[in-house]
């Protein structure tokens, strides 16, 4: 049997080479994305990082202890622990060498958004080493962590909570992954940030503990030191973007590859039906035929998948490079060959190949030999019941998901990552229904086809007769064009809806925001508050941990601490429960989805753990409609919990002088690391930036899938070319010139492509319609655009690939009269 | 002369196509092919000869009636069981050659044995080929052989399992008169020497004259038979049958 299998393999070299190539490349890109996903969704580092070389770190409490659902205590890290009390600092000085540590926002102009300042003496126990220059020798000198060596000797402007300052770069250190540091002379650091955040104590642990006894300070040693660090997740936070992108890529790529590989392997079996029928007449049982075909596919698939996995490991470098270059992933990211993603990719490829083969060979083996011979030679249905049923099921699921999003979880329509399953299901369903559309498309193309003269008949009958070939070509076209159109359009719609939602929710005229991840200094706040004829709202981001009866943890809410009146003047949250009037001094306003998630209702009393660990009682005063911002909450301005304001929103008072207010605001922020913009221009800028980022990500994610789909189109046509030999030589004998023959082939391919594009359009339209319904109920109306350039480019690529390949392959592989014995 | 019945066909009907283009290829045909005899089936084109042969050989299923092979009723057998029975007891030579294009003559002949799970002996395979004058062509693929040579490979393949019945659908249709005579002589010898049962469809009165009996078919029905045929007698009957249409 193996010998027969091997012998037949030789005869079908083109088909098998095609299937092999499709599976190898498919597995390679699945493996590439799977490995990348595995790398970005696990922590890069373990244990204390910044304090790795500090023997003991003394801090004020750095965690808040609440109870989980079982009543067991659970420690939550604080985002802004309180400073260490002066008594504790004093007491520690007697225990041996101590180094006070300070951490504060300090941004070098043109530097990264999240730069932080530290005193230079702390560099000793952190992994910072000078690579050029020297330590800060005066209060005007700094060392830039991970800075470019060219900086040394130059003067830079550094923004801190106290405003701008000019410093000379005395030296630069090698970069550290967990932060972007700026080191000041110790005295200068103490001036900029008088509070001591932590003390690193070198003395004996016992005496250190004894010294701070009763001051409320906590001595952290060993693994606990991590609790005092800013990044406690081993770098996972920095990988969030990369994880999102890799996750989306993985899903999309796996979907396209599995689909195309199933179709390709099924096509190979289709091509062999005549041979299988022959074997049946010679005495092969249905089971024998199936087993032979399956064994062949299995062997081929094992080889191809293994090769694909090996290639995938190499390809990860390309994807990683792209992500690092485009700022999606941090440069410390390492993607290494892990077994689990490779095994998954291997089996995904293998499974797709075997499924594609099994479905068709099961059917092919079942038919009677006489029927099989006739069927192999004659017309047969391209739309098999299995295919139609499966297509129908995918479509139904897609519609149901889409309706579910529109009817409830509308926020997920804003994120392609969360919404991806809708395009995948709808486009997949349509791809399966392709064979149904060949006839209507032919009817629609009747007029242009007629211009081919006798060719019209040949092309029409050809496309119908070889329904499977038409379907095999159209399937990747549906996937590529459908997904492309759906993703690009839906992404733009999400951005537009987002902008519309933000516009609708705000009534401010001007927005002042801190530069980068910095904060707005109190001096600026005071000056802005002093501006006449304006209502000023100061927003301080305060992450609060909510707990119910018995300290039971309910959830974490990204809230803003803001004065109730100021909030009402500058933002317009749509209240769906409770009231925003007379909020009082203990209000909690939060969006409905978060309230549902936490299980709180309007009027409930909860406790809120503020960023510094202070616990305050709050009353759920109102719930707002969940909008584009997703989870959001407001607490009284007093409850900042040590956090600093990052945004000030200004509304010109009724009858106020807008130009005067603008001038006053400009004066207030002059020479301060605070950006002043009108609300409209800020939103426009944000939308543009959002658009740029998401297009980049969608482009990359989709690009991988597109490349594979194009390959599949070319591949199928090359595989199909030898089948045409008999048909085309009959045409030649009937008097068609080579040129005419090639025109027929091209026209037939165009029919298949158009059928694909029509279905793709339908699928994309369905996706976009569903998303639009969801977004409209979320934000009301928003302008909708279709990125035609991208959509048409994808369509053109598919068409050019299809027609080009079919013509070239036909020219090369088909010529002369039909060989005998077939 | 043995008189056992090898294949019995009773009231068999077979219809092709759906509603508007219905064709009754066989219409209540009953016939018995005796063991150890050479029966030829003749009739105008489209009269249902190939259909009859395929139904008798279990390659196709009948719509109504019974087909019995050496006492086994075929109708109720599963597809697998039917295939196994065919593999063990029946040889079939098709109207068109139906060799597997990717396999050599030798591999094509060995195929039924391999499918039956037997290890084909090269000697047996080569003997089957040699007997049909294909000693030189063992390693050739169908595409590298003439039509007559391909047909002879197909006959060798049908005989290699030593089937109880050999069905042949126009085995000489593509052969010149000399090769055709050679093939017919060979089939005749098989019947005479080894008691092989043969049922053959042909359009050639000369070929038919090698048979013990000729059965005539017209419009899916039996239209008579002829014992001890000669080319002239056969030709006369055929001309008459075709004239009646
Ligand atoms: N698959 C099919 N679908 C529809 N009709 C068919 C099919 N196969 C055969 N027929 C019809 O059944 C009838 C009998 O066909 P069959 O092949 O048995 O004829 P035949 O006697 O072998 O003819 P020939 O001498 O030309 O080979 C014919 O009218 C033919 O058109
Ligand atoms: Mg016939």
């Amino acid at each position: 049997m193996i010998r027969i299998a091997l012998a037949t393999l030789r005869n079908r070299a083109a088909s098998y080479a095609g299937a092999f190539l499709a599976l190898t490349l498919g597995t390679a890109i699945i493996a590439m994305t799977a490995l990348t996903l595995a790398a970005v969704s696990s922590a890069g580092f373990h244990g204390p990082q910044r304090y790795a070389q500090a023997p003991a770190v003394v801090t004020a409490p750095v965690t808040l202890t609440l109870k989980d659902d079982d009543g067991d205590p659970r420690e939550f890290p604080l985002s802004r622990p309180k400073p260490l009390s002066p008594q504790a600092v004093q007491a520690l000085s007697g225990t041996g060498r101590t180094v006070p540590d300070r951490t504060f926002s300090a941004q070098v102009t043109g530097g990264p958004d999240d730069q932080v300042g530290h005193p230079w003496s702390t560099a000793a126990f952190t992994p910072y080493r000078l690579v050029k220059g020297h330590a800060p020798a005066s209060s005007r000198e700094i060392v830039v962590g991970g800075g470019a060596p060219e900086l040394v000797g130059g003067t830079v402007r550094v923004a801190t909570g106290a405003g701008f300052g000019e410093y000379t770069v005395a030296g630069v250190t090698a970069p550290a992954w967990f932060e972007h540091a700026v080191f000041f002379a110790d005295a200068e650091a103490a001036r900029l940030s008088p509070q001591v955040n932590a003390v690193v104590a070198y003395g004996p642990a016992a005496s250190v503990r004894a010294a701070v006894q009763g001051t409320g300070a906590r001595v952290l040693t060993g693994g606990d030191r991590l609790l005092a660090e800013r990044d406690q997740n081993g770098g996972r936070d920095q990988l969030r973007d990369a994880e999102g992108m890799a996750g989306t890529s993985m899903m999309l790529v796996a979907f396209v590859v599995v689909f195309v590989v199933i179709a390709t392997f099924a096509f190979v079996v289709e091509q062999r039906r005549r041979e299988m029928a022959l074997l049946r007449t010679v005495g092969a049982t249905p089971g024998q035929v199936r087993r032979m075909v399956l064994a062949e596919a299995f062997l081929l698939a094992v080889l191809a998948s293994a090769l694909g996995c090996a290639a995938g490991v190499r390809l990860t470098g390309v994807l990683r490079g792209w992500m690092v270059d485009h700022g999606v992933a941090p440069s410390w990211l390492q993607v290494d060959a892990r077994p689990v993603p490779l095994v998954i990719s291997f089996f995904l490829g293998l499974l797709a190949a075997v499924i594609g083969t099994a479905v068709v060979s099961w059917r092919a083996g079942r038919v009677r030999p006489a029927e099989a011979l006739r069927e192999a030679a004659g017309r047969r249905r391209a739309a098999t019941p299995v295919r139609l049923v499966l297509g129908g099921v995918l479509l139904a699921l897609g519609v149901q998901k889409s309706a579910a999003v529109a009817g409830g979880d509308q926020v997920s329509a804003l994120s392609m990552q969360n919404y991806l399953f809708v395009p995948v299901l709808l486009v997949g369903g349509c791809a399966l229904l392709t064979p149904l559309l060949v006839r209507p498309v032919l009817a629609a193309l009747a007029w242009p086809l007629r211009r081919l003269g006798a060719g019209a008949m040949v092309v029409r009958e050809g496309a119908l007769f070889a329904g499977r070939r038409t379907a095999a070509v159209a399937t990747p076209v549906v996937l590529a064009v459908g997904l492309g159109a759906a993703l690009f359009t839906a992404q733009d719609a999400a951005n537009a809806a987002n902008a519309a939602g933000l516009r609708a929710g705000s009534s401010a005229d001007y927005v002042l925001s801190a530069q980068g991840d910095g904060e707005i200094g109190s001096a600026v706040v005071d000056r802005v508050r002093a501006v006449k004829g304006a209502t000023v709202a100061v927003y301080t981001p305060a992450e609060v941990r909510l707990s119910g009866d018995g300290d039971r943890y309910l959830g974490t809410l990204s809230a803003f601490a803001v004065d109730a009146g100021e909030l009402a003047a500058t933002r317009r949250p749509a209240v769906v429960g409770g009231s925003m009037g007379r909020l009082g001094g203990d209000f909690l306003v939060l969006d409905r989805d978060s309230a549902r998630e936490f299980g709180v209702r309007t009027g409930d009393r909860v406790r809120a753990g503020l960023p510094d660990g202070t616990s305050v009682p709050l009353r759920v005063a109102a719930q707002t409609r969940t909008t584009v911002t997703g989870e959001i909450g407001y607490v009284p301005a007093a409850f900042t919990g040590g956090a600093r304001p990052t945004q000030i929103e200004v509304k010109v008072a009724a009858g106020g002088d807008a130009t005067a207010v603008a001038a006053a605001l400009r004066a207030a922020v002059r020479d301060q690391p605070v950006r002043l913009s009108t609300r409209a221009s800020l939103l426009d800028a944000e939308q543009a930036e959002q658009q740029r980022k998401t297009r980049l990500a969608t482009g990359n994610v989709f690009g991988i899938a597109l490349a594979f789909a194009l390959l599949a189109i070319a591949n199928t046509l090359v595989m199909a070319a030898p089948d045409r030999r008999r048909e085309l030589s009959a045409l030649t004998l009937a008097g068609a010139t080579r040129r005419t023959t090639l025109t027929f082939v091209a026209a037939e391919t165009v029919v298949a492509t158009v059928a694909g594009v029509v279905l793709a359009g339908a699928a994309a339209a369905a996706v976009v319609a569903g998303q639009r319904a969801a977004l409209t109920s979320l934000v009301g109306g928003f302008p909708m655009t279709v990125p035609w350039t991208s959509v048409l480019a994808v369509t053109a690529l598919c068409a050019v690939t299809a027609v080009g390949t079919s013509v070239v392959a036909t020219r090369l592989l088909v010529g002369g009269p039909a060989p005998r014995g077939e | 002369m043995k008189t056992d019945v090898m294949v019995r066909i009773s009231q068999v009907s077979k219809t092709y196509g759906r509603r508007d283009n219905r064709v009754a290829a066989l219409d209540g045909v009953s016939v018995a092919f005796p063991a150890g005899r050479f029966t030829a089936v003749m009739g105008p084109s489209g009269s249902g000869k190939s259909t009859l042969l395929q139904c008798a050989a279990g390659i196709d299923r009948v719509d109504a009636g019974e087909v019995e092979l050496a006492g086994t009723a075929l109708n109720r057998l599963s597809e697998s069981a039917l295939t196994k029975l065919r593999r063990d007891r029946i040889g079939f030579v098709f109207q068109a050659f139906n060799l597997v294009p990717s396999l050599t003559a030798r591999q094509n002949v060995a195929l039924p044995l391999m499918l039956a799970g037997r290890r084909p002996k090269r000697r047996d395979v080569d003997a089957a080929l040699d007997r049909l004058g294909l000693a030189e062509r063992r390693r050739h693929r169908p595409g590298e052989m003439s039509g007559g040579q391909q047909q002879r490979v197909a006959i060798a393949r049908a005989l290699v399992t030593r089937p109880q019945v050999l069905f042949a659908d126009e085995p000489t249709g593509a052969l010149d008169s000399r090769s055709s005579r050679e093939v017919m002589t060979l089939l005749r010898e098989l019947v005479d020497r080894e008691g092989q049962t043969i049922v053959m469809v042909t359009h050639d009165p000369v070929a038919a004259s090698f048979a013990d009996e000729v059965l005539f078919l017209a419009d899916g029905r039996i239209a008579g038979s002829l014992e001890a045929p000669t080319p002239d007698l056969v030709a006369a009957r055929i001309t008459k049958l075709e004239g009646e249409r």
Side-chain angles (χ1 to χ4, degrees):
Chain A
M1 240 19 230
I2 294 293
R3 199 136 50 93
I4 304 174
L6 285 179
T8 56
L9 210 71
R10 190 164 37 202
N11 210 45
R12 282 272 169 224
S15 299
Y16 278 108
F20 191 85
L21 185 70
L23 183 52
T24 306
L25 279 171
T27 318
I29 59 175
I30 291 184
M32 170 182 80
T33 45
L35 287 170
T36 308
L37 181 60
V40 297
S41 50
S42 53
F45 303 90
H46 302 279
Q49 301 292 319
R50 182 161 178 259
Y51 291 125
Q53 291 162 49
V57 183
V58 185
T59 61
V62 284
T63 58
L64 174 69
T65 305
L66 297 172
K67 301 238 167 60
D68 63 15
D69 287 345
D70 301 330
D72 299 326
R74 188 172 149 196
E75 276 195 316
F76 293 90
L78 299 177
S79 55
R80 269 182 183 266
K82 287 187 181 142
L84 198 54
S85 68
Q87 301 93 294
V89 177
Q90 186 63 40
L92 283 168
S93 58
T95 61
R97 184 157 85 92
T98 56
V99 181
D101 187 19
R102 297 177 160 84
T103 301
F104 50 95
S105 167
Q107 275 190 281
V108 176
T109 306
D113 279 351
D114 55 352
Q115 272 178 322
V116 288
H118 295 301
W120 173 246
S121 56
T122 61
F125 54 76
T126 53
Y128 287 105
R129 297 293 167 264
L130 278 171
V131 291
K132 189 170 176 204
H134 56 83
S138 75
S139 63
R140 303 321 310 159
E141 286 188 344
I142 57 168
V143 166
V144 180
E150 302 85 73
L151 282 178
V152 176
T155 302
V156 292
R157 248 154 86 88
V158 182
T160 62
F164 281 114
E166 303 264 334
Y167 295 90
T168 305
V169 178
V172 294
T173 72
W177 70 265
F178 52 83
E179 65 176 10
H180 295 106
V182 179
F183 293 100
F184 296 83
D186 291 1
E188 176 68 1
R191 184 186 72 83
L192 292 170
S193 177
Q195 306 165 331
V196 173
N197 298 97
V199 166
V200 172
Y202 286 81
S207 56
V208 171
R209 275 180 214 286
V212 296
Q213 190 82 48
T215 62
R218 189 166 168 187
V219 180
L220 303 168
T221 54
D224 283 352
R225 289 170 297 171
L226 180 62
L227 293 172
E229 293 189 5
R230 186 175 248 236
D231 186 334
Q232 305 192 350
N233 291 326
R236 279 211 59 177
D237 298 343
Q238 294 180 35
L239 294 172
R240 204 130 295 162
D241 284 355
E243 189 181 346
M245 201 182 102
T248 316
S249 298
M250 172 75 196
M251 180 166 168
L252 205 61
V253 161
F255 165 70
V256 172
V257 166
V258 166
F259 220 96
V260 166
V261 168
I262 289 181
T264 309
F265 274 74
F267 186 60
V268 172
V269 182
E270 278 306 329
Q271 289 189 304
R272 299 191 51 196
R273 281 179 81 111
R274 187 181 157 75
E275 201 175 305
M276 291 166 66
L278 273 177
L279 289 173
R280 291 277 286 114
T281 61
V282 183
T285 60
Q288 275 180 314
V289 173
R290 271 178 224 145
R291 278 194 298 276
M292 184 185 97
V293 175
L294 267 177
E296 269 178 28
F298 185 81
L299 280 179
L300 193 82
V302 166
L303 274 178
S305 294
L307 199 65
C309 283
V313 172
R314 312 209 139 230
L315 280 179
T316 51
V318 180
L319 186 57
R320 183 200 162 272
W322 190 94
M323 292 201 300
V324 171
D325 290 348
H326 289 79
V328 181
S331 56
W332 50 263
L333 173 67
Q334 274 200 327
V335 182
D336 36 31
R338 299 171 195 221
V340 174
L342 283 179
V343 168
I344 290 175
S345 315
F346 177 84
F347 280 106
L348 215 53
L350 186 62
L351 201 68
V354 170
I355 287 177
T357 308
V359 169
V360 184
S361 66
W362 182 76
R363 201 153 34 87
R366 208 178 32 160
V367 291
R368 262 157 254 147
E371 205 179 309
L373 274 180
R374 276 196 297 272
E375 207 182 65
R379 176 182 301 191
R380 49 190 190 248
R381 282 188 305 170
T384 56
V386 183
R387 188 167 178 147
L388 296 186
V389 167
L390 206 62
V393 168
L394 286 194
L395 278 186
L397 279 177
V399 169
Q400 186 233 324
K401 290 267 177 201
S402 167
V405 170
D409 180 23
Q410 293 118 349
V411 179
S412 68
L414 277 173
S415 139
M416 281 310 99
Q417 201 182 336
N418 295 335
Y419 201 63
L420 191 61
F421 50 82
V422 173
V424 158
L425 286 171
L426 289 178
V427 173
C430 281
L432 284 174
L433 298 184
T434 322
L436 279 188
L437 224 78
V438 175
R439 206 176 274 273
V441 165
L442 277 168
L445 288 182
W447 185 78
L449 277 183
R450 214 170 297 138
R451 298 180 51 95
L452 285 173
M457 180 192 73
V458 176
V459 171
R460 190 181 64 228
E461 293 307 310
L464 286 175
F465 189 80
R468 305 226 142 241
R469 180 172 62 216
T470 312
V473 173
T475 301
V477 174
V478 178
L479 292 183
V481 177
L483 286 176
L487 290 182
F488 286 122
T489 311
Q491 184 65 71
D492 280 9
N495 291 338
N498 195 38
L502 290 176
R503 251 171 256 271
S506 167
S507 51
D509 295 312
Y510 296 98
V511 177
L512 294 92
S513 44
Q515 186 179 302
D517 287 358
E519 53 201 33
I520 301 182
S522 39
V524 177
V525 174
D526 293 345
R527 264 180 271 162
V528 172
R529 282 205 190 280
V531 172
K532 291 210 172 52
T535 312
V536 172
V538 178
Y539 288 89
T540 306
E543 189 185 72
V544 295
R545 308 232 186 240
L546 299 178
S547 54
D549 294 337
D551 284 346
R552 195 171 62 86
Y553 174 64
L554 299 174
T556 304
L557 182 68
S558 300
F560 285 99
V562 62
D563 177 83
E566 295 176 1
L567 170 64
T570 51
R571 293 196 184 178
R572 289 189 289 238
V575 178
V576 292
S579 157
M580 295 280 277
R582 295 221 234 112
L583 285 175
D586 62 349
F587 68 86
L588 170 65
V589 173
L590 79 174
D591 72 282
R592 182 169 47 186
D593 285 6
S594 298
R596 257 187 222 141
E597 191 191 323
F598 302 156
V600 297
R601 269 171 303 189
T602 309
D604 282 2
R605 300 202 164 269
V606 294
R607 287 199 77 82
L610 302 182
D612 61 0
T614 319
S615 183
V616 294
L618 294 179
R619 182 180 54 86
V620 180
Q623 290 184 33
T624 61
R625 200 153 59 91
T626 308
T627 67
V628 292
T629 46
E631 91 172 27
I632 195 161
Y634 299 100
V635 295
F639 297 158
T640 57
R644 301 284 317 154
T646 57
Q647 183 150 324
I648 302 177
E649 297 181 6
V650 179
K651 169 121 187 109
V652 179
D657 181 354
T659 37
V661 170
L665 288 174
R666 262 195 300 278
V669 300
R670 178 163 306 132
D671 235 12
Q672 290 293 330
V674 174
R675 226 163 18 134
L676 168 67
S677 28
T678 63
R679 177 186 64 112
S681 68
L682 183 73
L683 287 176
D684 286 346
E686 276 174 2
Q687 189 187 357
E689 174 62 12
Q690 177 85 351
Q691 191 95 320
R692 190 189 66 79
K693 269 196 191 159
T694 52
R695 279 214 177 136
L696 196 69
T698 312
N700 179 21
V701 166
F702 175 68
I704 304 173
L706 175 65
F708 187 73
L710 290 180
L711 176 114
I713 294 172
N715 204 15
T716 311
L717 286 163
V718 172
M719 285 162 64
D723 273 4
R724 292 201 132 121
R725 204 173 277 190
R726 226 201 312 205
E727 181 188 331
L728 295 186
S729 50
L731 277 179
T732 312
L733 291 179
T737 61
R738 192 186 178 90
R739 205 191 147 90
T740 336
T741 317
L742 290 179
T743 314
F744 292 164
V745 169
E748 221 184 282
T749 315
V750 167
V751 168
T753 313
V754 170
V757 170
V758 168
L759 270 172
V767 172
V768 172
Q771 188 214 22
R772 189 176 165 79
L775 294 180
T776 306
S777 69
L778 191 64
V779 301
F782 64 93
M784 173 105 188
T785 51
V786 177
W788 285 113
T789 337
S790 314
V791 176
L792 290 179
V794 172
T795 311
L797 268 177
C798 289
V800 168
T801 309
V803 174
T805 320
S806 66
V807 169
V808 171
T810 312
R811 265 199 87 127
L812 293 180
L813 294 175
V814 178
R820 293 186 203 182
E822 284 192 11
Chain B
M1 202 163 68
K2 292 179 226 162
T3 50
D4 301 351
V5 172
M6 179 60 78
V7 184
R8 185 189 301 281
I9 289 170
S10 338
Q11 290 300 319
V12 162
S13 298
K14 172 89 187 169
T15 315
Y16 288 115
R18 289 184 208 154
R19 254 164 279 140
D20 43 344
N21 54 350
R22 248 170 200 293
V23 180
L26 292 178
D27 185 6
V29 173
S30 294
V31 63
F33 298 111
R37 293 248 293 178
F38 187 170
T39 312
V41 180
M42 297 193 76
S45 189
S47 56
K49 304 181 295 293
S50 297
T51 308
L52 176 69
L53 218 61
Q54 291 184 356
C55 288
I59 287 179
D60 212 344
R61 297 231 184 209
V62 298
D63 293 340
E66 289 272 345
V67 180
E68 223 175 81
L69 186 102
T72 313
L74 302 189
N75 296 27
R76 279 174 292 279
L77 293 182
S78 75
E79 203 51 48
S80 277
L82 189 58
T83 305
K84 282 178 190 141
L85 177 128
R86 249 183 19 236
R87 195 158 71 189
D88 295 340
R89 305 208 195 158
I90 294 174
F92 205 107
V93 180
F94 287 92
Q95 190 164 0
F97 318 120
N98 291 309
L99 298 177
V100 181
S102 53
L103 302 179
T104 62
R106 201 185 245 157
Q107 287 171 326
N108 261 297
V109 172
L111 194 55
L113 294 173
M114 289 160 76
L115 287 169
R118 280 187 261 162
R119 235 191 126 67
K121 290 206 194 71
R122 173 161 294 189
R123 197 151 34 86
D124 294 350
V125 171
D126 286 353
L129 282 167
D130 293 353
R131 198 153 44 154
L132 287 147
L134 291 165
E136 314 285 291
R137 305 281 161 192
R138 289 170 191 165
R139 291 165 179 286
H140 290 211
R141 284 179 216 287
E144 302 155 356
M145 284 185 275
S146 77
Q149 286 162 344
Q150 289 180 47
Q151 188 63 297
R152 278 182 281 162
V153 174
I155 296 173
R157 182 177 69 183
L159 290 175
V160 76
T161 53
R162 308 213 158 263
Q164 288 178 319
V165 201
L166 174 67
F167 290 98
D169 194 349
E170 299 189 39
T172 57
L175 307 187
D176 64 17
S177 54
R178 211 184 110 209
S179 329
S180 166
R181 185 168 292 275
E182 278 169 18
V183 169
M184 293 319 300
T185 311
L186 181 104
L187 294 182
R188 186 69 243 173
E189 276 173 19
L190 278 170
V191 178
D192 293 342
R193 282 200 213 138
E194 296 167 30
Q196 177 73 51
T197 310
I198 297 180
V199 181
M200 172 186 79
V201 169
T202 184
H203 280 293
D204 178 7
V206 177
S209 68
F210 281 81
D212 295 314
E213 182 187 358
V214 181
L215 196 71
F216 294 95
L217 214 59
D219 294 331
R221 295 202 188 90
I222 303 285
S225 66
L226 185 67
E227 292 270 348
T230 66
D232 293 342
L233 281 175
V234 171
R237 282 290 284 273
I238 281 292
T239 318
K240 192 161 155 265
L241 266 184
E242 282 173 352
E244 278 168 10
R245 292 223 288 183

